[in-house]
Amino acid sequence: MPDLESAGPSADVSPQRLTGWGRTRHATTTVAEPSDERDVATSLATMRSARGIIPFGAGRSYGDVALNDGGATLIATDLDAMAPVDEDGCLVCGPGVTFRQVLEKELHRGWIMPVSPGTAFATVGGAIANDVHGKNHDRAGSFGDHVRWIRLALPDGRIVRTSPVEDPDLFDATIGGLGLTGIIVEAAIGLKRVASSHVTLREDRAGDIEALMDGLRRGRETSSYTVAWIDAVARGKSLGRGILQAAEPADGPLEPAPPLRARRLPFDLPALALNPLSIGAFNQLYFRRVPAAGRDSRVPLTTFLYPLDALLDWNRMYGRRGFYQFQCVIPEAQADLGIRQLLEAIAADGSGSFLAVLKTLGRSGRGHLSFPMPGFTLALDFPARNRTPDLMSRLERLTLDHGGRIYLAKDACLSPGGFDRMYPRLGEFRRVLDRIDPERRMASDLSRRLQIRAR
Ligand SMILES: Cc1cc2nc3c(=O)[nH]c(=O)nc-3n(C[C@H](O)[C@H](O)[C@H](O)COP(=O)(O)OP(=O)(O)OC[C@H]3O[C@@H](n4cnc5c(N)ncnc54)[C@H](O)[C@@H]3O)c2cc1C
């Protein structure tokens, strides 16, 4: 049961139900929605729950990283002040500012976020706390590489500033820190200059996994953005066939971000709508969408970066039981074998997935728990069934066998032992938490599941 006894003045004492994007994990929690940093300090001082407190952004993480069942949650979306971008491209803003808001305000002036996840609904706070990566990771690194400083409300309510030169250990714990170092109340981000609001896009079919990975390896050398969609149902000689996309910023003009003309899915699809047959048919059609000779086009940057944002609550497509996402990275030296074995295990299981993506990652992130490392990252969705957690365990073992790691922003199933082995800087992270949060006030369902504060 949620602890409601000591909810503070800015807290909503009626418990709310919050859900991860995959809709397999839920939390009933007391909630505060501060609108400035004084409110944040008040909430931290007054929301004293035995189950701790965690910040929550736009709720675009798939599992339980932003959930705190039976505890307290600080929703940061109203902390969305945004100062004008200076001539150096530095954006100072609240953590609740979304990628969409930055596009609407800055794209026509020639500034974009240097790194962006596949949804513009994510917030700056969420992007820092998961150290998110985009389709340009080889060139641009992850989001944390562009954060100049952070103002952070520590668990005891004190607000401190941290940066690569101001308490760098705290900075490295907060980049990719899963909300466990405190509440980000303001951050400075270095934006990227663009000459156009469009990209030129080259799309090519690849008939199997070797061709797809070769295409991505070539693309990372020559293109600003690269990504591949994989037909995760194909087997045998076609295992890993897919479509390669490589994009470059186009020449002018600069136009405002097109208005969001997203549609809503009016209801949860029945669970049976997504079955191996319908997913197989979708994958066939999707593969043939691009002609055998490939094609070139010029598309708005927003269409290229955020294809899924056109359907607002697409997560309802998986029905009421929701879905799991699996995303791992396999280091370069193991990638050919590792990705092939993962795809074989998925195809053999017959669970099917129609949102399967393969990307390359460049360097490691600076955060203690940053996900990226040089290699290939594979991401797939699976409709939730009774046996899906078993498949996730098999994929966890394969990831470990190849020296890889699972992305916590997407995760709902990783074991504490697997987590320990995948994140070798966990000890450094724990030391910072012991220093700034000796009372263990910050906590989430994920931090308990993975025993992040266990010892
Ligand atoms: C369609 C789609 C595509 C995606 N594509 C990508 C991708 O390409 N690359 C990628 O890396 N990720 C991707 N993601 C994952 C997504 O970018 C991350 O989960 C991101 O963290 C979500 O941000 P959010 O604002 O929704 O935060 P939430 O999901 O609400 O929270 C995420 C984390 O941020 C913490 N947090 C939130 N606000 C604060 C704050 N003020 N201070 C401290 N911590 C805070 C929370 O405690 C939690 O740990 C995708 C997600 C979707 C739905």
Side-chain angles (χ1 to χ4, degrees):
M1 275 299 291
D3 169 11
L4 308 180
E5 277 173 26
S6 41
S10 63
D12 177 349
V13 285
S14 53
Q16 277 189 35
R17 191 169 143 94
L18 295 176
T19 297
W21 187 248
R23 300 171 83 213
T24 58
R25 296 292 180 266
H26 312 274
T28 304
T29 168
T30 34
V31 158
E33 296 194 59
S35 50
D36 59 36
E37 58 187 61
R38 233 184 27 203
D39 272 1
V40 172
T42 310
S43 301
L44 281 169
T46 55
M47 292 181 86
R48 294 213 163 253
S49 160
R51 303 264 294 173
I53 183 165
I54 197 73
F56 189 92
R60 259 44 185 199
S61 299
Y62 287 62
D64 52 2
V65 68
L67 300 182
N68 191 18
D69 191 38
T73 304
L74 189 145
I75 298 182
T77 44
D78 286 349
L79 300 168
D80 62 351
M82 211 167 139
V85 172
D86 74 13
E87 59 206 25
D88 249 3
C90 184
L91 168 71
V92 175
C93 68
V97 166
T98 64
F99 283 70
R100 173 100 216 144
Q101 282 170 284
V102 176
L103 276 168
E104 282 167 0
K105 213 159 159 205
E106 298 299 337
L107 178 60
H108 64 286
R109 296 184 226 254
W111 293 114
I112 60 168
M113 284 294 208
V115 164
S116 180
T119 174
F121 293 114
T123 64
V124 165
I128 295 174
N130 275 323
D131 193 15
V132 301
H133 57 273
K135 297 170 182 167
N136 57 350
H137 189 268
D138 287 289
R139 305 247 165 136
S142 50
F143 196 77
D145 294 323
H146 304 273
V147 177
R148 297 187 180 174
W149 51 258
I150 293 169
R151 290 182 57 250
L152 183 71
L154 294 174
D156 64 10
R158 270 179 309 136
I159 294 181
V160 297
R161 187 169 135 137
T162 179
S163 72
V165 291
E166 295 155 290
D167 197 344
D169 250 9
L170 177 59
F171 189 73
D172 291 357
T174 302
I175 302 292
L178 316 173
L180 295 171
T181 61
I183 317 290
I184 297 161
V185 293
E186 195 176 48
I189 320 292
L191 299 188
K192 177 179 153 63
R193 258 265 176 246
V194 284
S196 161
S197 35
H198 284 67
V199 292
T200 54
L201 175 63
R202 173 74 197 170
E203 291 174 287
D204 284 295
R205 283 191 200 171
D208 59 24
I209 188 62
E210 275 82 34
L212 200 72
M213 291 178 76
D214 282 354
L216 283 172
R217 286 194 172 100
R218 275 195 307 279
R220 80 198 308 187
E221 302 300 328
T222 51
S223 303
S224 299
Y225 299 95
T226 45
V227 61
W229 167 83
I230 296 195
D231 176 353
V233 178
R235 298 170 181 230
K237 280 202 303 205
S238 303
L239 183 88
R241 71 175 182 175
I243 293 172
L244 285 157
Q245 292 192 324
E248 277 309 311
D251 298 329
L254 279 167
E255 290 160 7
L260 189 64
R261 273 201 221 91
R263 279 175 290 180
R264 261 187 195 286
L265 200 66
F267 50 80
D268 296 324
L269 283 191
L272 284 177
L274 286 186
N275 54 48
L277 263 181
S278 63
I279 293 176
F282 170 87
N283 279 312
Q284 270 286 353
L285 280 174
Y286 200 83
F287 183 68
R288 304 210 177 279
R289 187 179 65 90
V290 170
R295 70 176 175 201
D296 295 296
S297 55
R298 187 174 189 275
V299 297
L301 180 73
T302 48
T303 311
F304 172 67
L305 289 180
Y306 313 117
L308 288 171
D309 282 359
L311 186 59
L312 274 186
D313 32 18
W314 61 262
N315 54 347
R316 299 179 70 185
M317 220 159 41
Y318 289 91
R320 298 179 73 84
R321 290 186 71 180
F323 66 104
Y324 291 93
Q325 175 150 118
F326 170 81
Q327 181 169 359
C328 70
V329 52
I330 304 291
E332 188 64 54
Q334 294 281 327
D336 292 288
L337 186 60
I339 298 291
R340 169 176 282 281
Q341 289 188 352
L342 286 163
L343 288 173
E344 280 168 353
I346 290 158
D349 182 82
S351 287
S353 171
F354 67 94
L355 288 172
V357 171
L358 189 66
K359 286 188 283 210
T360 51
L361 296 179
R363 54 187 188 259
S364 296
R366 70 169 295 146
H368 297 151
L369 300 187
S370 284
F371 166 72
M373 64 164 95
F376 280 75
T377 177
L378 174 68
L380 310 99
D381 290 349
F382 301 105
R385 305 216 166 85
N386 293 345
R387 61 193 171 89
T388 319
D390 290 341
L391 171 65
M392 302 299 268
S393 304
R394 288 203 295 282
L395 300 182
E396 172 182 331
R397 278 197 298 277
L398 278 173
T399 304
L400 278 168
D401 287 349
H402 295 286
R405 74 168 62 117
I406 285 175
Y407 190 15
L408 303 178
K410 309 288 183 76
D411 176 59
C413 299
L414 180 60
S415 69
F419 170 64
D420 259 32
R421 288 175 58 196
M422 289 176 186
Y423 286 86
R425 299 184 68 193
L426 180 55
E428 291 172 70
F429 184 65
R430 283 184 171 139
R431 277 195 288 283
V432 173
L433 294 190
D434 288 346
R435 165 162 68 94
I436 58 150
D437 189 17
E439 291 177 35
R440 305 190 169 195
R441 293 217 51 214
M442 307 304 297
S444 64
D445 290 346
L446 176 135
S447 77
R448 283 183 285 270
R449 173 167 60 87
L450 298 180
Q451 300 172 9
I452 291 183
R453 301 296 315 264
R455 50 204 93 172

